[in-house]
Amino acid sequence: MFKNDANQVRAGWILLLAAVSMFVGQQLFALPGVFVLLFTDSSSMMTGSEADLLASFDDYPWIFLLTQGGGTIGGMLVTVLLWKFLNKGTLHTLGFRRPLKDLGFGLLLGAISIVLIFIILSATGDVTLLNPFSQPEFSVYTLTFLLLFILVGFFEEMFFRGYVMRTMADRGNPKWLIYIVSAVIFSLAHGMNPNVSLIGLLNIALVGVLFAYMFDVTKSLWLPIGYHITWNYVQGNVFGFPVSGTTPHGIYSISVEGGNELLTGGAFGLEGGMLATLLIVLGFLATRVYVKMRGDA
């Protein structure tokens, strides 16, 4: 029950321990931000309303970064410690290897994907730009969310791809199962996000498969990390779409009122729309072409 035929603890038990440890680590490292918010705006904490709490974080972007970023750093730290002491691995075997050009291509591919979705939605009239391209509205959120999405990109790829996939692979699980499990866990982790939708969760699972494919064919985390960062940042902090249901703070403001939610994703953001599905699928092709041009396949 607990060990496989090779006398190894089964991957499922290790991943369960890792998930619980990661959750605890995230909560502990998020506490400083919660305490700072308590002293800064105690009224939101006293009401006990989740909506008031989220609204207060929205009013204090640096406190939001301290809380969310702190929790993300906690998750990264737990992942590294588990990989080192439980899995007996190194950062190299976790996936931090190969040239950084993979990171550059990932950043470019993630950004282009969102830009293409925006162009299509603009052409079909499903999204309206509220301030001209010549008048971007920069704010503190432009910087705080850049830092946050960098941390999120690193953490989620380290855990959902690096830790989950390598743990399963080291225990002889078939590749198809590794892809599916890592993608499903990734999608379920977003299941409590605001305005969550079925299409949104399916697309998150699909992009999880894409990230797994990127990790598998490059043998490195750099490509999915890069794609993950700009996929999130360009959505929310350039074009002002919600990112997996969260509040956007773009340098451009948009309206999807009257637009087709099957394309725009509605309140959940682009990940809840079918155009995201299309671009994610095209991401597999782009990755394949990139790897072939690089001479690795």
Side-chain angles (χ1 to χ4, degrees), residues 30 83 233:
W83 185 250
Y233 188 74

Side-chain angles (χ1 to χ4, degrees), residues 106-107 110-112 114-115 137-153 225-244 246-252 270-271:
L107 291 168
I112 288 175
I114 299 301
V115 169
E137 298 175 352
F138 295 98
S139 69
V140 66
Y141 298 101
T142 309
L143 176 59
T144 56
F145 272 82
L146 174 61
L147 297 174
L148 178 61
F149 283 136
I150 289 173
L151 291 173
V152 168
I225 285 174
Y227 186 104
H228 201 148
I229 291 170
T230 51
W231 174 269
N232 284 342
Y233 188 74
V234 177
Q235 271 188 85
N237 291 88
V238 175
F239 292 121
F241 290 98
V243 180
S244 301
T246 59
T247 303
H249 297 282
I251 60 174
Y252 297 105
L270 296 181
E271 291 167 352

Side-chain angles (χ1 to χ4, degrees), residues 156-173:
E156 293 191 353
E157 296 314 308
M158 286 172 63
F159 183 76
F160 294 107
R161 257 58 65 181
Y163 192 86
V164 171
M165 292 182 66
R166 290 293 298 145
T167 296
M168 294 186 68
D170 288 346
R171 278 150 180 79
N173 289 280

Side-chain angles (χ1 to χ4, degrees), residues 37-272:
L37 180 63
L38 175 62
F39 287 109
T40 304
D41 186 4
S42 59
S43 61
S44 64
M45 305 292 287
M46 298 302 291
T47 62
S49 167
E50 182 179 1
D52 289 341
L53 181 60
L54 292 175
S56 293
F57 275 126
D58 201 44
D59 291 335
Y60 301 101
W62 289 108
I63 299 178
F64 180 79
L65 177 62
L66 177 63
T67 306
Q68 295 294 103
T72 304
I73 290 172
M76 293 169 62
L77 179 61
V78 169
T79 300
V80 170
L81 291 176
L82 286 171
W83 185 250
K84 178 178 176 61
F85 294 106
L86 182 61
N87 297 71
K88 308 299 181 184
T90 64
L91 287 178
H92 183 268
T93 58
L94 184 64
F96 287 103
R97 64 180 85 180
R98 306 192 65 85
L100 285 178
K101 65 180 181 180
D102 288 355
L103 176 64
F105 179 72
L107 291 168
L108 180 64
L109 183 59
I112 288 175
S113 298
I114 299 301
V115 169
L116 287 175
I117 294 176
F118 176 78
I119 290 173
I120 295 171
L121 289 174
S122 296
T124 58
D126 288 292
V127 65
T128 303
L129 190 65
L130 300 181
N131 58 309
F133 276 113
S134 60
Q135 299 177 20
E137 298 175 352
F138 295 98
S139 69
V140 66
Y141 298 101
T142 309
L143 176 59
T144 56
F145 272 82
L146 174 61
L147 297 174
L148 178 61
F149 283 136
I150 289 173
L151 291 173
V152 168
F154 270 84
F155 162 59
E156 293 191 353
E157 296 314 308
M158 286 172 63
F159 183 76
F160 294 107
R161 257 58 65 181
Y163 192 86
V164 171
M165 292 182 66
R166 290 293 298 145
T167 296
M168 294 186 68
D170 288 346
R171 278 150 180 79
N173 289 280
K175 184 177 293 188
W176 66 266
L177 182 62
I178 295 172
Y179 272 47
I180 290 175
V181 169
S182 64
V184 169
I185 295 175
F186 182 55
S187 180
L188 291 177
H190 293 78
M192 298 301 291
N193 283 27
N195 306 307
V196 67
S197 68
L198 177 59
I199 295 178
L201 291 179
L202 290 175
N203 274 339
I204 291 173
L206 181 60
V207 81
V209 175
L210 173 60
F211 291 150
Y213 176 69
M214 290 175 168
F215 178 43
D216 184 32
V217 297
T218 63
K219 310 303 178 188
S220 168
L221 288 172
W222 290 121
L223 178 51
I225 285 174
Y227 186 104
H228 201 148
I229 291 170
T230 51
W231 174 269
N232 284 342
Y233 188 74
V234 177
Q235 271 188 85
N237 291 88
V238 175
F239 292 121
F241 290 98
V243 180
S244 301
T246 59
T247 303
H249 297 282
I251 60 174
Y252 297 105
S253 298
I254 53 98
S255 172
V256 296
E257 186 176 351
N260 187 340
E261 288 198 8
L262 283 176
L263 299 179
T264 67
F268 191 68
L270 296 181
E271 291 167 352

